[in-house]
Structures are given as C-alpha cells and as structure tokens.
Amino acid sequence: MTPRESFKIGDLEVAPGAEAMGDLPLARLVTGNTISMPLRVIHGRDEGPTVWLSAAVHGDEIAGVEIIRRVLDQVNALTLAGTIIAVPIVNVHGFLNGDRYFPDRRDLNRSFPGSPTGSLAGRVAHLFVTQIVDRCDVGIDLHTGSDHRINLPQIRADLDDPFTRELAVAFGAPLMLHAKLRDGSMRAAATSRGATVLLYEGGEAWRFNEQAVEAGTRGVLRVFDRLSMTGNGEPLDDSDVPESRSTSWVRARRTGLVQLHAKLGEYVEKGSPLVTIHDSVGRRLGSTKAPTNGIVIGHTQQPLVNQGDAIVHIARLDSEPTNVIRHGKDFT
C-alpha cells in the first residue's frame, strides 16, 4: 500500500499520523506587527475526507473555539482516516477587539469569496477560501447568537441536498433548519466550490454556554463518525430529528421591560403566551401570544426592549416532535 503524502498548508508540512499547529499570515497591525490566522492540522494515517472546522467568523462568537478544542482532544492522528483543518479564530481582528465585525465594520460572513485586492474582510475571506475551503470536502462552521440573543443548538444547511441532509441528521442537534444560501456567506462560497457545509448555531456571544458547547462537540464527533473518520461519536437515534423550513421573530409591540414566558427549546402552540411587557413602575403595557406552533430557537437576553425589537425566534414545524421540552426542561 502506498503511504499517504504529507499535508502541506502555509508553513506546515504534516506527516501522516501526525498533527501540527501553525498560522496563515493575514496583515500587519498599525504597530507594524504581523497578525495571523491560527491553524491546527491533524493528518490521519489512513485515507479519508478532508474536513475543516471554523469558528469566530464573527469575532465575538467564541463558543466555537471551545468546541474545536474539545473535539480535537478526542481525535488521534494515528487512528484518524482523513485530515482535519481546524481554524478556531477566522476573524482575528474582531476577536482581538471584542467585536463581531472587522475594524471597518464589514461583516466577514458577507464578504466571501473575497478578493486578494479588496477590503480587509474580503482579503481574509479570499485567503480562507483558497487555503482552507479549496482543500476540503466538508466544512463545519460554528456560530452563536449575536446582539444579546441566545440560540438553541441547531444545524442550518441545505436539507434538500441528500448528502448534506445525511450529515445534518448525523450531527444530531435539537433542530435542523433548512436554510437558503446567502450571498457573501462562507457557506454559499464553499458550496459553489463543491464543498458540503453545515452551519452550527448555539449559545450566545462572549459566553461558553455549556449546553451549546456540549451539543456542538457531540455533533462534530458524530459527523466524523458518519464520514468514517473516527469512532468517537456517541450513538444517536436519528429517527426523530425535528426539522423546520420556516422561522419568524416575534417583535415587541411596546417599549419597556420584557418578561419571557417561553423557554429556549420549548414547543409552543399558537395562542400560548410568549411575553409580557411592563414599564419601569410595573404597569402592564401588553402581552404577545405565539403566532404559530413551533419551537423557540432563540430569544433576547436583554430585558429592556424598544418597540419593534426582536424578542422570540420561533421555528415552525409540520407536526409536534416527540422530544420537545415541557415545563422548562432542557431541550438538549
């Protein structure tokens, strides 16, 4: 049998059955210091797919960094079939600044596939596509809620593509959401170049929400198992993974302090109470009921709301799933 070739990326050359850490140079800071995108490569001894794991595409969404750490702690290059390219911090500038965006306020996830001569975000997007995406068969991009919102662990993907759906089911998140490709996103750029991509959402910005981190860790390992790369994933009964093809935000009808009546992951029925809003002296200003049956997949963490603010995110379901929460039990 012909041995696998070494895997080369940036300044790394990783032998079969080995792993290495390195970086891809991005730019220079105004101080003159260089700034780089950190990498960790695990190159299995046996043939298999090449998969990337990415996090912090938005600089304040840090939970994926911890998910990647926990996943790689359970991967052994000597028994791995294939190659894993882990990029725990894609938006290094935003991560260092504690900001979702780049210094010029551009959203990296609206800047793909980028350009080698474009904006800073466009240049980083181009580097990621040409150095990471183009080497991979599958990608798992890890995100959290933003702007003082928390998200239920969920997979967003093209569920009409059979292989993508197979991996989404294997991930085993509390919900699969059929999501159209959005121009400028990593997922759209990677899909157009032939990669299969899962986008994971869970938790909130600047927090290690344990349920979201654990669900993400288990899910990535299950995908590795489905790809026959490892044997580390937990067995999963995937016969009843809830699926949604439509979501909507319930918005504040009045300005005030919001009281939530539905918990993250809870199945709500049309007409059931969702929120009540009071003013600062305790006067009840109004309440809002669920406009449809569905699962609460996100909600605000900010008690103070203005009229029109998004409060509760509901995913519609064709039928009530069997593994929903009731009376505040944890969905995950």
PDB file of all heavy atoms in Angstrom, residues 106-141:
ATOM      1  N   ARG A 106     -17.115  45.884   8.439  1.00  0.00           N
ATOM      2  CA  ARG A 106     -17.588  44.892   7.482  1.00  0.00           C
ATOM      3  C   ARG A 106     -17.823  43.555   8.182  1.00  0.00           C
ATOM      4  O   ARG A 106     -17.089  43.172   9.088  1.00  0.00           O
ATOM      5  CB  ARG A 106     -16.591  44.708   6.334  1.00  0.00           C
ATOM      6  CG  ARG A 106     -16.513  45.905   5.395  1.00  0.00           C
ATOM      7  CD  ARG A 106     -15.523  45.645   4.266  1.00  0.00           C
ATOM      8  NE  ARG A 106     -15.345  46.826   3.440  1.00  0.00           N
ATOM      9  CZ  ARG A 106     -16.049  47.109   2.360  1.00  0.00           C
ATOM     10  NH1 ARG A 106     -16.981  46.261   1.955  1.00  0.00           N
ATOM     11  NH2 ARG A 106     -15.830  48.200   1.666  1.00  0.00           N
ATOM     12  N   ASP A 107     -18.843  42.859   7.706  1.00  0.00           N
ATOM     13  CA  ASP A 107     -19.193  41.533   8.207  1.00  0.00           C
ATOM     14  C   ASP A 107     -18.455  40.513   7.345  1.00  0.00           C
ATOM     15  O   ASP A 107     -18.726  40.409   6.144  1.00  0.00           O
ATOM     16  CB  ASP A 107     -20.704  41.338   8.125  1.00  0.00           C
ATOM     17  CG  ASP A 107     -21.194  40.030   8.742  1.00  0.00           C
ATOM     18  OD1 ASP A 107     -20.387  39.080   8.842  1.00  0.00           O
ATOM     19  OD2 ASP A 107     -22.374  39.954   9.106  1.00  0.00           O
ATOM     20  N   LEU A 108     -17.556  39.740   7.949  1.00  0.00           N
ATOM     21  CA  LEU A 108     -16.794  38.754   7.185  1.00  0.00           C
ATOM     22  C   LEU A 108     -17.718  37.762   6.499  1.00  0.00           C
ATOM     23  O   LEU A 108     -17.446  37.332   5.369  1.00  0.00           O
ATOM     24  CB  LEU A 108     -15.813  38.024   8.108  1.00  0.00           C
ATOM     25  CG  LEU A 108     -14.970  36.922   7.463  1.00  0.00           C
ATOM     26  CD1 LEU A 108     -14.156  37.450   6.294  1.00  0.00           C
ATOM     27  CD2 LEU A 108     -14.050  36.274   8.496  1.00  0.00           C
ATOM     28  N   ASN A 109     -18.835  37.406   7.160  1.00  0.00           N
ATOM     29  CA  ASN A 109     -19.728  36.416   6.579  1.00  0.00           C
ATOM     30  C   ASN A 109     -20.659  37.003   5.518  1.00  0.00           C
ATOM     31  O   ASN A 109     -21.640  36.377   5.124  1.00  0.00           O
ATOM     32  CB  ASN A 109     -20.558  35.725   7.660  1.00  0.00           C
ATOM     33  CG  ASN A 109     -20.821  34.268   7.326  1.00  0.00           C
ATOM     34  OD1 ASN A 109     -20.074  33.636   6.571  1.00  0.00           O
ATOM     35  ND2 ASN A 109     -21.898  33.719   7.885  1.00  0.00           N
ATOM     36  N   ARG A 110     -20.359  38.192   5.057  1.00  0.00           N
ATOM     37  CA  ARG A 110     -20.984  38.776   3.873  1.00  0.00           C
ATOM     38  C   ARG A 110     -19.909  39.200   2.870  1.00  0.00           C
ATOM     39  O   ARG A 110     -20.189  39.956   1.940  1.00  0.00           O
ATOM     40  CB  ARG A 110     -21.846  39.989   4.250  1.00  0.00           C
ATOM     41  CG  ARG A 110     -22.984  39.678   5.191  1.00  0.00           C
ATOM     42  CD  ARG A 110     -24.040  38.785   4.562  1.00  0.00           C
ATOM     43  NE  ARG A 110     -25.079  38.450   5.528  1.00  0.00           N
ATOM     44  CZ  ARG A 110     -25.058  37.386   6.321  1.00  0.00           C
ATOM     45  NH1 ARG A 110     -24.039  36.527   6.267  1.00  0.00           N
ATOM     46  NH2 ARG A 110     -26.040  37.147   7.159  1.00  0.00           N
ATOM     47  N   SER A 111     -18.685  38.695   3.051  1.00  0.00           N
ATOM     48  CA  SER A 111     -17.550  39.136   2.245  1.00  0.00           C
ATOM     49  C   SER A 111     -16.935  38.036   1.393  1.00  0.00           C
ATOM     50  O   SER A 111     -15.932  38.265   0.716  1.00  0.00           O
ATOM     51  CB  SER A 111     -16.465  39.730   3.158  1.00  0.00           C
ATOM     52  OG  SER A 111     -16.973  40.811   3.919  1.00  0.00           O
ATOM     53  N   PHE A 112     -17.511  36.819   1.433  1.00  0.00           N
ATOM     54  CA  PHE A 112     -16.978  35.695   0.666  1.00  0.00           C
ATOM     55  C   PHE A 112     -17.492  35.736  -0.771  1.00  0.00           C
ATOM     56  O   PHE A 112     -18.603  36.212  -1.014  1.00  0.00           O
ATOM     57  CB  PHE A 112     -17.384  34.371   1.333  1.00  0.00           C
ATOM     58  CG  PHE A 112     -16.633  34.060   2.589  1.00  0.00           C
ATOM     59  CD1 PHE A 112     -17.084  34.510   3.825  1.00  0.00           C
ATOM     60  CD2 PHE A 112     -15.460  33.319   2.546  1.00  0.00           C
ATOM     61  CE1 PHE A 112     -16.391  34.229   4.985  1.00  0.00           C
ATOM     62  CE2 PHE A 112     -14.760  33.030   3.699  1.00  0.00           C
ATOM     63  CZ  PHE A 112     -15.220  33.482   4.921  1.00  0.00           C
ATOM     64  N   PRO A 113     -16.749  35.239  -1.742  1.00  0.00           N
ATOM     65  CA  PRO A 113     -15.437  34.580  -1.645  1.00  0.00           C
ATOM     66  C   PRO A 113     -14.262  35.529  -1.499  1.00  0.00           C
ATOM     67  O   PRO A 113     -13.127  35.095  -1.388  1.00  0.00           O
ATOM     68  CB  PRO A 113     -15.353  33.814  -2.961  1.00  0.00           C
ATOM     69  CG  PRO A 113     -16.121  34.657  -3.917  1.00  0.00           C
ATOM     70  CD  PRO A 113     -17.269  35.212  -3.129  1.00  0.00           C
ATOM     71  N   GLY A 114     -14.528  36.825  -1.514  1.00  0.00           N
ATOM     72  CA  GLY A 114     -13.459  37.785  -1.282  1.00  0.00           C
ATOM     73  C   GLY A 114     -12.602  38.043  -2.490  1.00  0.00           C
ATOM     74  O   GLY A 114     -12.863  37.573  -3.598  1.00  0.00           O
ATOM     75  N   SER A 115     -11.551  38.815  -2.239  1.00  0.00           N
ATOM     76  CA  SER A 115     -10.634  39.210  -3.311  1.00  0.00           C
ATOM     77  C   SER A 115      -9.265  39.486  -2.714  1.00  0.00           C
ATOM     78  O   SER A 115      -9.172  40.033  -1.608  1.00  0.00           O
ATOM     79  CB  SER A 115     -11.162  40.470  -4.010  1.00  0.00           C
ATOM     80  OG  SER A 115     -10.158  41.075  -4.791  1.00  0.00           O
ATOM     81  N   PRO A 116      -8.194  39.140  -3.423  1.00  0.00           N
ATOM     82  CA  PRO A 116      -6.852  39.412  -2.885  1.00  0.00           C
ATOM     83  C   PRO A 116      -6.507  40.901  -2.867  1.00  0.00           C
ATOM     84  O   PRO A 116      -5.527  41.295  -2.240  1.00  0.00           O
ATOM     85  CB  PRO A 116      -5.927  38.648  -3.839  1.00  0.00           C
ATOM     86  CG  PRO A 116      -6.694  38.555  -5.115  1.00  0.00           C
ATOM     87  CD  PRO A 116      -8.135  38.421  -4.706  1.00  0.00           C
ATOM     88  N   THR A 117      -7.341  41.720  -3.526  1.00  0.00           N
ATOM     89  CA  THR A 117      -7.062  43.166  -3.575  1.00  0.00           C
ATOM     90  C   THR A 117      -8.229  43.984  -3.037  1.00  0.00           C
ATOM     91  O   THR A 117      -8.285  45.195  -3.249  1.00  0.00           O
ATOM     92  CB  THR A 117      -6.757  43.602  -5.022  1.00  0.00           C
ATOM     93  OG1 THR A 117      -7.885  43.271  -5.857  1.00  0.00           O
ATOM     94  CG2 THR A 117      -5.514  42.926  -5.545  1.00  0.00           C
ATOM     95  N   GLY A 118      -9.172  43.337  -2.364  1.00  0.00           N
ATOM     96  CA  GLY A 118     -10.353  44.039  -1.871  1.00  0.00           C
ATOM     97  C   GLY A 118     -10.170  44.604  -0.477  1.00  0.00           C
ATOM     98  O   GLY A 118      -9.051  44.901  -0.040  1.00  0.00           O
ATOM     99  N   SER A 119     -11.291  44.749   0.251  1.00  0.00           N
ATOM    100  CA  SER A 119     -11.252  45.231   1.628  1.00  0.00           C
ATOM    101  C   SER A 119     -10.519  44.232   2.507  1.00  0.00           C
ATOM    102  O   SER A 119     -10.229  43.102   2.098  1.00  0.00           O
ATOM    103  CB  SER A 119     -12.684  45.414   2.149  1.00  0.00           C
ATOM    104  OG  SER A 119     -13.327  44.154   2.256  1.00  0.00           O
ATOM    105  N   LEU A 120     -10.235  44.627   3.741  1.00  0.00           N
ATOM    106  CA  LEU A 120      -9.550  43.725   4.664  1.00  0.00           C
ATOM    107  C   LEU A 120     -10.377  42.452   4.858  1.00  0.00           C
ATOM    108  O   LEU A 120      -9.837  41.337   4.804  1.00  0.00           O
ATOM    109  CB  LEU A 120      -9.326  44.415   6.003  1.00  0.00           C
ATOM    110  CG  LEU A 120      -8.690  43.573   7.117  1.00  0.00           C
ATOM    111  CD1 LEU A 120      -7.334  43.029   6.678  1.00  0.00           C
ATOM    112  CD2 LEU A 120      -8.553  44.396   8.394  1.00  0.00           C
ATOM    113  N   ALA A 121     -11.696  42.599   5.056  1.00  0.00           N
ATOM    114  CA  ALA A 121     -12.548  41.420   5.210  1.00  0.00           C
ATOM    115  C   ALA A 121     -12.527  40.569   3.946  1.00  0.00           C
ATOM    116  O   ALA A 121     -12.489  39.334   4.007  1.00  0.00           O
ATOM    117  CB  ALA A 121     -13.978  41.844   5.545  1.00  0.00           C
ATOM    118  N   GLY A 122     -12.559  41.221   2.785  1.00  0.00           N
ATOM    119  CA  GLY A 122     -12.520  40.486   1.522  1.00  0.00           C
ATOM    120  C   GLY A 122     -11.218  39.730   1.330  1.00  0.00           C
ATOM    121  O   GLY A 122     -11.209  38.617   0.787  1.00  0.00           O
ATOM    122  N   ARG A 123     -10.129  40.292   1.784  1.00  0.00           N
ATOM    123  CA  ARG A 123      -8.823  39.626   1.666  1.00  0.00           C
ATOM    124  C   ARG A 123      -8.755  38.409   2.594  1.00  0.00           C
ATOM    125  O   ARG A 123      -8.213  37.361   2.212  1.00  0.00           O
ATOM    126  CB  ARG A 123      -7.700  40.602   1.990  1.00  0.00           C
ATOM    127  CG  ARG A 123      -7.571  41.710   0.959  1.00  0.00           C
ATOM    128  CD  ARG A 123      -6.536  42.755   1.340  1.00  0.00           C
ATOM    129  NE  ARG A 123      -6.601  43.885   0.426  1.00  0.00           N
ATOM    130  CZ  ARG A 123      -5.545  44.434  -0.164  1.00  0.00           C
ATOM    131  NH1 ARG A 123      -4.337  43.961   0.060  1.00  0.00           N
ATOM    132  NH2 ARG A 123      -5.704  45.468  -0.967  1.00  0.00           N
ATOM    133  N   VAL A 124      -9.304  38.552   3.802  1.00  0.00           N
ATOM    134  CA  VAL A 124      -9.322  37.415   4.726  1.00  0.00           C
ATOM    135  C   VAL A 124     -10.229  36.314   4.175  1.00  0.00           C
ATOM    136  O   VAL A 124      -9.892  35.121   4.231  1.00  0.00           O
ATOM    137  CB  VAL A 124      -9.785  37.862   6.130  1.00  0.00           C
ATOM    138  CG1 VAL A 124     -10.003  36.661   7.038  1.00  0.00           C
ATOM    139  CG2 VAL A 124      -8.750  38.811   6.741  1.00  0.00           C
ATOM    140  N   ALA A 125     -11.382  36.699   3.626  1.00  0.00           N
ATOM    141  CA  ALA A 125     -12.287  35.720   3.032  1.00  0.00           C
ATOM    142  C   ALA A 125     -11.600  34.983   1.880  1.00  0.00           C
ATOM    143  O   ALA A 125     -11.703  33.753   1.758  1.00  0.00           O
ATOM    144  CB  ALA A 125     -13.559  36.411   2.535  1.00  0.00           C
ATOM    145  N   HIS A 126     -10.899  35.704   1.043  1.00  0.00           N
ATOM    146  CA  HIS A 126     -10.191  35.090  -0.090  1.00  0.00           C
ATOM    147  C   HIS A 126      -9.126  34.122   0.396  1.00  0.00           C
ATOM    148  O   HIS A 126      -8.969  33.018  -0.146  1.00  0.00           O
ATOM    149  CB  HIS A 126      -9.562  36.176  -0.957  1.00  0.00           C
ATOM    150  CG  HIS A 126      -8.787  35.640  -2.116  1.00  0.00           C
ATOM    151  ND1 HIS A 126      -7.411  35.462  -2.066  1.00  0.00           N
ATOM    152  CD2 HIS A 126      -9.183  35.229  -3.347  1.00  0.00           C
ATOM    153  CE1 HIS A 126      -7.002  34.973  -3.229  1.00  0.00           C
ATOM    154  NE2 HIS A 126      -8.045  34.820  -4.013  1.00  0.00           N
ATOM    155  N   LEU A 127      -8.394  34.503   1.418  1.00  0.00           N
ATOM    156  CA  LEU A 127      -7.372  33.631   1.976  1.00  0.00           C
ATOM    157  C   LEU A 127      -8.002  32.345   2.515  1.00  0.00           C
ATOM    158  O   LEU A 127      -7.495  31.243   2.262  1.00  0.00           O
ATOM    159  CB  LEU A 127      -6.626  34.344   3.102  1.00  0.00           C
ATOM    160  CG  LEU A 127      -5.553  33.519   3.834  1.00  0.00           C
ATOM    161  CD1 LEU A 127      -4.347  33.305   2.927  1.00  0.00           C
ATOM    162  CD2 LEU A 127      -5.133  34.206   5.129  1.00  0.00           C
ATOM    163  N   PHE A 128      -9.118  32.475   3.230  1.00  0.00           N
ATOM    164  CA  PHE A 128      -9.766  31.296   3.797  1.00  0.00           C
ATOM    165  C   PHE A 128     -10.263  30.365   2.695  1.00  0.00           C
ATOM    166  O   PHE A 128     -10.097  29.145   2.781  1.00  0.00           O
ATOM    167  CB  PHE A 128     -10.924  31.714   4.704  1.00  0.00           C
ATOM    168  CG  PHE A 128     -11.494  30.592   5.509  1.00  0.00           C
ATOM    169  CD1 PHE A 128     -10.998  30.299   6.766  1.00  0.00           C
ATOM    170  CD2 PHE A 128     -12.525  29.802   5.010  1.00  0.00           C
ATOM    171  CE1 PHE A 128     -11.506  29.242   7.514  1.00  0.00           C
ATOM    172  CE2 PHE A 128     -13.044  28.750   5.732  1.00  0.00           C
ATOM    173  CZ  PHE A 128     -12.535  28.463   7.001  1.00  0.00           C
ATOM    174  N   VAL A 129     -10.855  30.930   1.663  1.00  0.00           N
ATOM    175  CA  VAL A 129     -11.395  30.109   0.577  1.00  0.00           C
ATOM    176  C   VAL A 129     -10.278  29.377  -0.153  1.00  0.00           C
ATOM    177  O   VAL A 129     -10.371  28.171  -0.420  1.00  0.00           O
ATOM    178  CB  VAL A 129     -12.212  30.978  -0.399  1.00  0.00           C
ATOM    179  CG1 VAL A 129     -12.477  30.226  -1.700  1.00  0.00           C
ATOM    180  CG2 VAL A 129     -13.532  31.391   0.241  1.00  0.00           C
ATOM    181  N   THR A 130      -9.218  30.078  -0.495  1.00  0.00           N
ATOM    182  CA  THR A 130      -8.170  29.471  -1.322  1.00  0.00           C
ATOM    183  C   THR A 130      -7.270  28.534  -0.530  1.00  0.00           C
ATOM    184  O   THR A 130      -6.773  27.535  -1.085  1.00  0.00           O
ATOM    185  CB  THR A 130      -7.315  30.561  -1.983  1.00  0.00           C
ATOM    186  OG1 THR A 130      -6.774  31.439  -0.976  1.00  0.00           O
ATOM    187  CG2 THR A 130      -8.147  31.379  -2.961  1.00  0.00           C
ATOM    188  N   GLN A 131      -7.059  28.812   0.754  1.00  0.00           N
ATOM    189  CA  GLN A 131      -6.150  27.990   1.543  1.00  0.00           C
ATOM    190  C   GLN A 131      -6.844  26.897   2.342  1.00  0.00           C
ATOM    191  O   GLN A 131      -6.230  25.870   2.644  1.00  0.00           O
ATOM    192  CB  GLN A 131      -5.345  28.887   2.499  1.00  0.00           C
ATOM    193  CG  GLN A 131      -4.420  29.856   1.815  1.00  0.00           C
ATOM    194  CD  GLN A 131      -3.364  29.143   0.978  1.00  0.00           C
ATOM    195  OE1 GLN A 131      -2.703  28.221   1.445  1.00  0.00           O
ATOM    196  NE2 GLN A 131      -3.211  29.571  -0.272  1.00  0.00           N
ATOM    197  N   ILE A 132      -8.115  27.100   2.696  1.00  0.00           N
ATOM    198  CA  ILE A 132      -8.830  26.126   3.523  1.00  0.00           C
ATOM    199  C   ILE A 132      -9.921  25.419   2.718  1.00  0.00           C
ATOM    200  O   ILE A 132      -9.875  24.207   2.510  1.00  0.00           O
ATOM    201  CB  ILE A 132      -9.460  26.809   4.763  1.00  0.00           C
ATOM    202  CG1 ILE A 132      -8.406  27.622   5.536  1.00  0.00           C
ATOM    203  CG2 ILE A 132     -10.118  25.757   5.650  1.00  0.00           C
ATOM    204  CD1 ILE A 132      -7.293  26.820   6.136  1.00  0.00           C
ATOM    205  N   VAL A 133     -10.902  26.174   2.255  1.00  0.00           N
ATOM    206  CA  VAL A 133     -12.067  25.584   1.594  1.00  0.00           C
ATOM    207  C   VAL A 133     -11.668  24.738   0.396  1.00  0.00           C
ATOM    208  O   VAL A 133     -12.163  23.612   0.219  1.00  0.00           O
ATOM    209  CB  VAL A 133     -13.061  26.677   1.172  1.00  0.00           C
ATOM    210  CG1 VAL A 133     -14.172  26.096   0.303  1.00  0.00           C
ATOM    211  CG2 VAL A 133     -13.652  27.369   2.400  1.00  0.00           C
ATOM    212  N   ASP A 134     -10.782  25.255  -0.422  1.00  0.00           N
ATOM    213  CA  ASP A 134     -10.420  24.548  -1.661  1.00  0.00           C
ATOM    214  C   ASP A 134      -9.677  23.236  -1.401  1.00  0.00           C
ATOM    215  O   ASP A 134      -9.504  22.439  -2.328  1.00  0.00           O
ATOM    216  CB  ASP A 134      -9.577  25.451  -2.557  1.00  0.00           C
ATOM    217  CG  ASP A 134     -10.412  26.513  -3.255  1.00  0.00           C
ATOM    218  OD1 ASP A 134     -11.650  26.422  -3.198  1.00  0.00           O
ATOM    219  OD2 ASP A 134      -9.833  27.442  -3.861  1.00  0.00           O
ATOM    220  N   ARG A 135      -9.255  22.995  -0.173  1.00  0.00           N
ATOM    221  CA  ARG A 135      -8.570  21.753   0.158  1.00  0.00           C
ATOM    222  C   ARG A 135      -9.518  20.725   0.788  1.00  0.00           C
ATOM    223  O   ARG A 135      -9.093  19.602   1.079  1.00  0.00           O
ATOM    224  CB  ARG A 135      -7.430  22.016   1.149  1.00  0.00           C
ATOM    225  CG  ARG A 135      -6.343  22.935   0.615  1.00  0.00           C
ATOM    226  CD  ARG A 135      -5.417  23.358   1.754  1.00  0.00           C
ATOM    227  NE  ARG A 135      -4.438  24.324   1.302  1.00  0.00           N
ATOM    228  CZ  ARG A 135      -3.193  24.038   0.951  1.00  0.00           C
ATOM    229  NH1 ARG A 135      -2.777  22.779   1.011  1.00  0.00           N
ATOM    230  NH2 ARG A 135      -2.367  24.977   0.558  1.00  0.00           N
ATOM    231  N   CYS A 136     -10.782  21.114   1.010  1.00  0.00           N
ATOM    232  CA  CYS A 136     -11.659  20.303   1.856  1.00  0.00           C
ATOM    233  C   CYS A 136     -12.877  19.769   1.098  1.00  0.00           C
ATOM    234  O   CYS A 136     -13.350  20.368   0.134  1.00  0.00           O
ATOM    235  CB  CYS A 136     -12.134  21.128   3.045  1.00  0.00           C
ATOM    236  SG  CYS A 136     -10.813  21.559   4.213  1.00  0.00           S
ATOM    237  N   ASP A 137     -13.385  18.655   1.606  1.00  0.00           N
ATOM    238  CA  ASP A 137     -14.618  18.057   1.100  1.00  0.00           C
ATOM    239  C   ASP A 137     -15.829  18.533   1.898  1.00  0.00           C
ATOM    240  O   ASP A 137     -16.922  18.691   1.351  1.00  0.00           O
ATOM    241  CB  ASP A 137     -14.533  16.532   1.195  1.00  0.00           C
ATOM    242  CG  ASP A 137     -13.301  15.981   0.503  1.00  0.00           C
ATOM    243  OD1 ASP A 137     -13.203  16.125  -0.724  1.00  0.00           O
ATOM    244  OD2 ASP A 137     -12.422  15.426   1.217  1.00  0.00           O
ATOM    245  N   VAL A 138     -15.645  18.719   3.200  1.00  0.00           N
ATOM    246  CA  VAL A 138     -16.730  19.065   4.112  1.00  0.00           C
ATOM    247  C   VAL A 138     -16.254  20.166   5.044  1.00  0.00           C
ATOM    248  O   VAL A 138     -15.073  20.207   5.421  1.00  0.00           O
ATOM    249  CB  VAL A 138     -17.171  17.833   4.939  1.00  0.00           C
ATOM    250  CG1 VAL A 138     -18.194  18.208   6.003  1.00  0.00           C
ATOM    251  CG2 VAL A 138     -17.746  16.744   4.028  1.00  0.00           C
ATOM    252  N   GLY A 139     -17.170  21.057   5.419  1.00  0.00           N
ATOM    253  CA  GLY A 139     -16.855  22.091   6.398  1.00  0.00           C
ATOM    254  C   GLY A 139     -17.940  22.198   7.442  1.00  0.00           C
ATOM    255  O   GLY A 139     -19.133  22.030   7.142  1.00  0.00           O
ATOM    256  N   ILE A 140     -17.549  22.465   8.685  1.00  0.00           N
ATOM    257  CA  ILE A 140     -18.494  22.734   9.766  1.00  0.00           C
ATOM    258  C   ILE A 140     -18.120  24.083  10.367  1.00  0.00           C
ATOM    259  O   ILE A 140     -17.043  24.245  10.947  1.00  0.00           O
ATOM    260  CB  ILE A 140     -18.471  21.647  10.851  1.00  0.00           C
ATOM    261  CG1 ILE A 140     -18.726  20.261  10.229  1.00  0.00           C
ATOM    262  CG2 ILE A 140     -19.516  21.939  11.924  1.00  0.00           C
ATOM    263  CD1 ILE A 140     -18.642  19.115  11.224  1.00  0.00           C
ATOM    264  N   ASP A 141     -18.999  25.058  10.183  1.00  0.00           N
ATOM    265  CA  ASP A 141     -18.755  26.431  10.624  1.00  0.00           C
ATOM    266  C   ASP A 141     -19.577  26.687  11.880  1.00  0.00           C
ATOM    267  O   ASP A 141     -20.804  26.487  11.876  1.00  0.00           O
ATOM    268  CB  ASP A 141     -19.141  27.400   9.503  1.00  0.00           C
ATOM    269  CG  ASP A 141     -18.717  28.824   9.780  1.00  0.00           C
ATOM    270  OD1 ASP A 141     -17.709  29.012  10.489  1.00  0.00           O
ATOM    271  OD2 ASP A 141     -19.399  29.744   9.274  1.00  0.00           O
TER     272      ASP A 141
END
